[in-house]
Structures are given as structure tokens and as C-alpha cells.
Amino acid sequence: MRRSPLACMVLLGLLAFPALAQTQPAPSPPPAAAPTPIPFPQALERAANDLFSKAQIEGERITLVIDPLIDGISGAQSTSTRSMQQSLIELVGKSYPRFQVQPFSAEALARNPAVLVGTFTAVNNAGDAKGARDAYRICLTLLDMKSKRVVSKGVARAKPDGIDATPTTYYRDSPMWSKDPATEVYIKTCQGTKLGDAIDPLYAERLNVAALINDGILEYEARHYREALAFYRTARALPGGDQHRVRIGAYLASSKLGRKDDAVEAFGDLVDSGLAGNQLMVKLLFQPGSTQFIANPEITEPYPMWLSQIATRAQQKGACIEIVGHTSRTGLPQVNERLSVLRAQYVMDLLQAGAPDSRGRMIASGRGYNENLVGTGKDDASDALDRRVEFKVIGC
């Protein structure tokens, strides 16, 4: 085959200078298409069927316990995660009889069962970190405590229609939020593992404590406050029991029992833990578009005590604090940024009024809705964490 003179010149040039043949970048692959969210019940069923039908675990009868499903960002249980758990139990009983569901307890854990963990997370379906969260990602992971391995995974995307992400009573009543190591390792175990991976030892070591904490949460939500407090105190005394959820439980149960001194001490314990970790996120709820707290005395009644403990304990530690306001994803960005600063300033004024010596050791700033944890913009109990105020330890 004869080549044209121009083609020969190009070929000779590439042979003489081989690097030129590599200067043309390879075409980039097309971006992956965003998953298509489907209605919530079908999404959960799809993820669960993948999980149980493909489980690489031996045995004709397998004990299964469910470590309660949580929100993948806040770590909270919600109306939806509770309903998901019940749906999973019903599906197993109907379609997967070799799995025998047992309560999440020390007795069941002693038999080295299969453990199901799961997260339910609001996401932007197109993967835009700053975009509105318009879908929910379901992640289910099955662990075999005998082999200490991940033996199955199931994932799906759900439409937001009909989803109730309102936190359950314990998490709704919690005065503050923190993703402590126990919660982080749970989320990592679900979302950051692949089939065949070893179970994180930190997760496995704290399973018995997690079962006690769950018992305490259920007793608290059943208004059995003495029993709840007993579970939290038992958990706190065990290795791995020094957890944020235990401190919160002790504060909540003591408050409900009218033990004011114990409640103050328990809240102070929460403050000390947050200051030690250089971050303290407190749920101070404001009226929409306002710098005033919501007009609900039942909710705001403990606020003065909270602020007093924060000011006192920060002063005792000689800590300087940045007070950071946040807002829900509602309204114009510039309006929310200004509002978040004003809310932080309002809280700082309250702190300094009660502790004049703290003047000069605090600054106020705002993030608008740039650091939303929930990000759905519903402005109700389901996204209360987005209207939080943070206290960050900074250099003086």
C-alpha cells in the first residue's frame, strides 16, 4: 500500500521522536451515570435480597443479630432506620429461613453470630458534595463473627418520597452531637469495606458494650429511666464503654429522673469530652430566620445550664473558643451565612454575660449551610443538627 508524502513525513517524525507519539492524552472515560433511585420499599428489598442471597457463610442454621441501623452522617437512629430493621426481620423470616434472627444481646453475641450493620444516608445523587441531598443511599453489610470477615454486601439508592428521617426519642433529646470512634468504626465497617475484608477489631471488641447501650436506649424510649441509667452505668464501667452515647444516656436519664446534680455533672462530662477533642456540637434550636431560640420552654429550659457548664469548664481549662453558627439549607446562601454569624454572636453574648472573665477568649463565626450534616432543608426535627452551634477550641 502506497502512502502519501505527507503521511510518510508524519510517520518518520514519530519514529525519530517517539515521545511525540505519547503527547496525545488518552481520551478520558465518560463519567459514570448516576444511580437511578427507586421507591424506598423496593430499594430496601433489593439491597436486602443481594445481602442474604449472596452471603458467603457456612451453616444450615445461622444466628443473626442486627446492630441497629443508623444515619451514615449523624450516627443517629431514625423512624426510617427503625422501620428498615423491622422490614429486614420480616424478610428474613419469609424468604431466608436459614438465618435465625435473635435480639442484639450479649447472650446472642457469645454464639459468634452473623451481625448485620447498615447505614441510611441522605446524598446528592449526582455526587455533587455541595448539591441538595435528593436521594438516600442504603448500605447493608453482613459480618461473620466466627471467621471475622465481611461475608456479604447490599446497596441501593432510594427516592426521598415517604421517608421519615426524624431521629428517635433518644437521639432527638440528645443535647449535642459527636461522631465518636465507636460510631465512626460502625460506619466504616458498613461503607468502607468490601467482601472478604477482616472485621475491624475495634468494632468487634465493642459489640457487647454496643448491646448494653442499645438496651439503655430502648429503656429510655420506653420511659424506664432507672433501668436505662443502670445500663449506661454498666456500659461505662466496661472496656470500650467510654463513649459519647453513654455520656448522653446518663445525662438524659438523670434529667428525666429529676436528679439535677447528676444531670449537671453528666453534662459537664460531655463538655469536658468535647473540649478534649477540640469540638463540641450543641443543639441549640432557633426560630426559623431568627436569632432567638424556639418558643418551646420544654426544649429550651436546660439551655442556661448548658451554656453555664460550657463557659465554666472552658474557663477552667484556660481554653479559647470559636463559636460557630450553622443553618438549614433554606433560603439564600448569603442570608444564611449572615444569620449563622448572628446566631453565634447571640450565643457568645449569653456566655459572656454569665462569665465576664471569658471576654477576649471567644470569637463568633458562621458557616451558613455549607457544613450541613443532614442537608435535606426540611427545617423540622429531622434536620435539627443542621441548626447547631459548635464550640471549637482554638489557640488563644
Side-chain angles (χ1 to χ4, degrees), residues 1 30 44 58 165 213 241 266 309 337 344 357:
M1 179 181 68
L44 177 60
E58 297 180 356
I213 294 172
Q309 284 293 303
E337 288 175 9
D357 293 345

Side-chain angles (χ1 to χ4, degrees), residues 82-331:
R82 288 276 176 87
S83 70
M84 290 169 68
Q85 185 165 325
Q86 185 57 40
S87 296
L88 290 170
I89 292 171
E90 293 171 0
L91 177 65
V92 168
K94 176 182 177 181
S95 304
Y96 301 97
R98 76 169 177 141
F99 290 96
Q100 308 293 311
V101 181
Q102 297 294 317
F104 184 42
S105 65
E107 181 183 358
L109 291 170
R111 298 197 288 271
N112 287 324
V115 177
L116 190 157
V117 298
T119 57
F120 187 58
T121 314
V123 296
N124 177 271
N125 195 55
D128 181 1
K130 295 185 178 180
R133 294 174 187 173
D134 53 4
Y136 281 84
R137 182 179 62 229
I138 297 171
C139 170
L140 303 177
T141 298
L142 193 64
L143 315 172
D144 178 14
M145 301 311 296
K146 291 180 180 177
S147 65
K148 300 292 191 293
R149 296 282 172 183
V150 174
V151 294
S152 196
K153 306 279 289 188
V155 296
R157 292 282 175 102
K159 295 179 178 179
D161 306 330
I163 289 174
D164 185 356
T166 304
T168 58
T169 305
Y170 165 92
Y171 291 95
R172 184 198 64 206
D173 292 352
S174 170
M176 59 182 68
W177 175 84
S178 176
K179 192 181 289 183
D180 65 5
T183 304
E184 289 179 339
V185 77
Y186 180 107
I187 294 170
K188 177 185 175 183
T189 296
C190 186
Q191 298 182 359
T193 57
K194 61 183 182 298
L195 193 64
D197 281 354
I199 299 171
D200 191 310
L202 183 61
Y203 174 78
E205 290 165 3
R206 296 186 176 185
L207 264 176
N208 283 324
V209 172
L212 286 171
I213 294 172
N214 184 59
D215 286 336
I217 290 173
L218 295 177
E219 293 289 2
Y220 176 82
E221 295 184 346
R223 301 185 179 184
H224 301 154
Y225 303 124
R226 285 185 176 82
E227 292 83 351
L229 187 58
F231 277 118
Y232 297 131
R233 287 177 171 171
T234 301
R236 182 66 180 265
L238 295 177
D242 185 17
Q243 295 187 27
H244 194 69
R245 289 182 300 169
V246 175
R247 294 188 183 91
I248 288 175
Y251 165 74
L252 293 177
S254 296
S255 297
K256 293 295 186 181
L257 290 168
R259 300 179 182 179
K260 293 186 178 180
D261 291 344
D262 288 347
V264 170
E265 184 60 32
F267 188 85
D269 189 24
L270 279 166
V271 173
D272 286 343
S273 175
L275 292 175
N278 293 336
Q279 192 168 57
L280 185 65
M281 300 188 185
V282 182
K283 292 193 292 187
L284 298 168
L285 301 187
F286 292 86
Q287 298 177 30
S290 170
T291 60
Q292 298 298 308
F293 296 136
I294 62 171
N296 186 334
E298 185 178 351
I299 292 176
T300 60
E301 187 269 335
Y303 285 10
M305 184 274 282
W306 295 359
L307 295 174
S308 174
Q309 284 293 303
I310 292 168
T312 299
R313 298 197 178 231
Q315 189 174 25
Q316 288 173 349
K317 295 181 180 300
C320 291
I321 294 178
E322 179 185 10
I323 302 163
V324 186
H326 298 267
T327 67
S328 300
R329 180 181 283 273
T330 305

